[in-house]
Amino acid sequence: MNARITLTDIDRPREPLEVEVVESKARTMIVAVPGTIMEFQLRRSSDGAAFEGAIGGRYFRFDPSAPTTSVGAKGKAKTTKAAA
């Protein structure tokens, strides 16, 4: 799986981190930071909960059920569901 997702920094929500999903299971997700050799694991406490994990002193969260906003070709924002 090579999907890219955006993680939210708990302490700095305006500084997200885009990562590539290496492996995703029901309770764990392994992600890689593009352009580096760094990988780390996100975990969730229960089904339906957000994935959470830390790297380099930063703590990140990813909620696969939350809608994401992206800008389309014409510059208009569109909201879609994120895939886990």
Side-chain angles (χ1 to χ4, degrees), residues 10-41:
I10 300 300
D11 298 319
R12 296 180 267 180
R14 292 185 181 179
E15 297 179 26
L17 177 65
E18 185 176 82
V19 296
E20 290 184 2
V21 177
V22 175
E23 182 180 329
S24 182
K25 297 181 181 177
R27 297 273 176 105
T28 61
M29 182 185 303
I30 298 173
V31 296
V33 181
T36 71
I37 58 169
M38 298 182 76
E39 288 186 354
F40 65 105
Q41 188 175 69

